[in-house]
């Protein structure tokens, strides 16, 4: 049995989910449909290998610790867990407070050969290297400070901002989950955009409907168009040339007027974003 403080690699932790979203499922906790990619227009078929409509998903969130201000803490999992209680409860079996909710979503699986080509682009490499070498008081997350992750992450943010207007969901109702790995044997380049709530808002079918052919193309096209321009441009785009913006300069061309989301919607605390990687 692994020690409680030892974390399973985050990438490998998500791989079973990634594999699940790449096929059709019909279970009590998850229902997925794989439309034929040929049903979509060119703006979808040229970039994506698969589009999966997730008619039902179940999300379990567990609170494993507590810190103030800085999420990148040096504390161990055991220490973080101890901060959940003022006085440690007297119980024999270890447990964590958790909540389970249902929802729906759309899974985008990018074409791996295009992502590889993007990663090896000289301009992209130079842009990331300048970002990585910007002076900071905290170390970078090496997995997130990569062309692949930043492209996938920014795509998710821009799509969510578009879905908010197209579907009528509240800004904090949609969330992202990034599946990223440049392992040559088992690569991942996927994005899940989903809604999961304790009420009926997460199961009304509006998001799944927008993932069907004839609807999704318009959303992707609007998202790419919106990523080309920010109301703070040229400042927003040009400031990325100096190494970054926002807290700890963890974003390039992304600000509150174009690429940021409510904190509850983003799994990277609105960091590692760059519109330049989409345009």
């Amino acid at each position: 049995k692994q020690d409680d403080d030892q974390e399973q690699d985050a990438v490998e932790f998500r791989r079973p989910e990634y594999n699940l979203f790449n096929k059709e499922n019909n279970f009590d906790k998850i229902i997925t449909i794989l439309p034929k990619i040929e049903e979509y227009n060119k703006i979808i078929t040229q970039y994506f290998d698969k589009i999966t409509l997730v008619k039902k998903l179940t999300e379990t969130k567990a609170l494993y610790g507590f810190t103030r201000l800085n999420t990148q803490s040096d504390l161990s999992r055991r220490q973080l867990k101890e901060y959940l209680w003022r006085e440690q409860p007297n119980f024999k079996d270890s447990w964590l407070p958790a909540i389970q909710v249902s929802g729906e979503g759309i899974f985008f699986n990018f074409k791996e050969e295009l992502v590889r080509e993007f990663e090896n682009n000289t301009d992209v490499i130079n842009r990331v290297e300048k970002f990585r070498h910007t002076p900071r008081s905290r170390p970078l997350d090496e997995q997130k400070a990569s062309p692949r992750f930043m492209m996938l992450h920014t795509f998710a943010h821009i799509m969510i901002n578009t879905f908010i207007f197209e579907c009528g969901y509240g800004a904090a109702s949609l969330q992202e989950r990034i599946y990223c790995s440049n392992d040559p044997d088992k690569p991942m380049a996927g994005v899940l955009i989903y809604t999961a709530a304790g009420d009926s808002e997460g199961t009304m079918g509006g998001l799944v409907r927008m993932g069907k052919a004839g609807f999704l193309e318009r959303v992707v096209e609007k998202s790419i168009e919106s990523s080309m321009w920010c109301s703070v441009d040229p400042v927003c785009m040009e400031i990325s040339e100096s190494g970054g913006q926002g807290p700890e300069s963890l974003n390039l061309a992304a600000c509150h007027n174009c690429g940021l989301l409510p904190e509850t919607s983003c799994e990277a605390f609105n960091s590692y974003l760059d519109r330049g990687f989409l345009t």
Side-chain angles (χ1 to χ4, degrees):
K1 183 179 178 180
Q2 290 183 333
D3 186 89
D4 291 343
D5 293 339
Q6 186 175 350
E7 297 184 40
Q8 184 178 1
D9 183 86
V11 174
E12 294 307 313
F13 184 80
R14 298 190 182 203
R15 194 173 297 280
E17 298 177 22
Y18 177 80
N19 295 334
L20 198 67
F21 287 127
N22 273 293
K23 61 183 180 180
E24 292 197 346
N25 301 278
N26 188 9
F27 302 109
D28 181 53
K29 299 292 186 181
I30 182 170
I31 300 174
T32 59
I33 298 174
L34 260 69
K36 293 181 179 179
I37 198 67
E38 296 80 13
E39 297 177 358
Y40 294 91
N41 291 344
K42 184 180 178 181
I43 195 170
I44 299 296
T45 58
Q46 68 180 337
Y47 297 120
F48 302 101
D49 184 48
K50 292 177 183 176
I51 300 292
T52 306
L53 305 181
V54 186
K55 296 189 68 175
K56 181 181 180 180
L57 61 82
T58 304
E59 179 185 39
T60 303
K61 293 182 178 181
L63 183 64
Y64 68 83
F66 176 81
T67 64
R68 292 185 182 274
L69 301 180
N70 187 4
T71 58
Q72 295 182 347
S73 173
D74 294 329
L75 298 175
S76 68
R77 283 288 176 90
R78 188 187 302 275
Q79 290 172 314
L80 289 170
K81 184 179 176 182
E82 290 174 354
Y83 285 131
L84 289 176
W85 293 277
R86 178 175 296 179
E87 295 182 6
Q88 285 292 313
N90 184 19
F91 50 80
K92 183 177 181 181
D93 298 324
S94 179
W95 59 276
L96 293 172
I99 183 174
Q100 190 174 82
V101 292
S102 298
E104 59 179 324
I106 306 172
F107 178 75
F108 300 83
N109 192 11
F110 284 77
K111 288 186 175 181
E112 180 60 27
E113 62 271 18
L114 293 183
V115 178
R116 293 280 184 188
E117 182 180 339
F118 167 79
E119 287 179 315
N120 295 321
N121 183 284
T122 303
D123 293 333
V124 170
I125 293 174
N126 293 337
R127 191 173 178 87
V128 169
E129 284 304 307
K130 181 181 290 187
F131 171 75
R132 292 169 66 93
H133 289 92
T134 298
R136 297 178 177 87
S137 60
R138 290 188 298 170
L140 283 174
D141 185 318
E142 295 298 325
Q143 193 267 335
K144 291 183 172 64
S146 65
R148 180 180 293 246
F149 182 89
M150 293 179 73
M151 184 274 292
L152 295 172
H153 191 207
T154 309
F155 172 80
H157 275 232
I158 300 297
M159 285 292 291
I160 287 176
N161 278 329
T162 305
F163 275 128
I164 287 170
F165 292 101
E166 293 293 320
C167 301
Y169 284 106
S173 297
L174 298 180
Q175 301 173 57
E176 66 179 3
R177 193 157 174 82
I178 312 298
Y179 300 88
C180 176
S181 172
N182 57 7
D183 186 329
D185 298 323
K186 299 183 294 182
M188 291 192 297
V191 170
L192 173 66
I193 296 176
Y194 69 101
T195 176
D199 55 19
S200 61
E201 186 176 7
T203 57
M204 292 191 294
L207 191 57
V208 168
R209 180 175 181 268
M210 294 306 297
K212 296 180 179 179
F215 296 95
L216 187 60
E217 295 92 337
R218 185 176 74 250
V219 178
V220 173
E221 187 173 358
K222 284 187 176 181
S223 298
I224 299 301
E225 288 179 355
S226 66
S227 69
M228 295 179 180
W229 183 83
C230 171
S231 60
V232 189
D233 275 341
V235 176
C236 180
M237 186 62 75
E238 290 181 350
I239 200 172
S240 62
E241 300 298 327
S242 64
Q245 62 178 308
E248 296 290 339
S249 298
L250 288 176
N251 288 326
L252 291 177
C255 68
H256 284 284
N257 294 280
C258 59
L260 303 192
L261 295 174
E263 290 288 352
T264 53
S265 299
C266 175
E267 62 177 40
F269 300 97
N270 275 322
S271 301
Y272 305 99
L273 297 164
D274 182 19
R275 288 184 295 119
F277 282 157
L278 297 185
T279 57

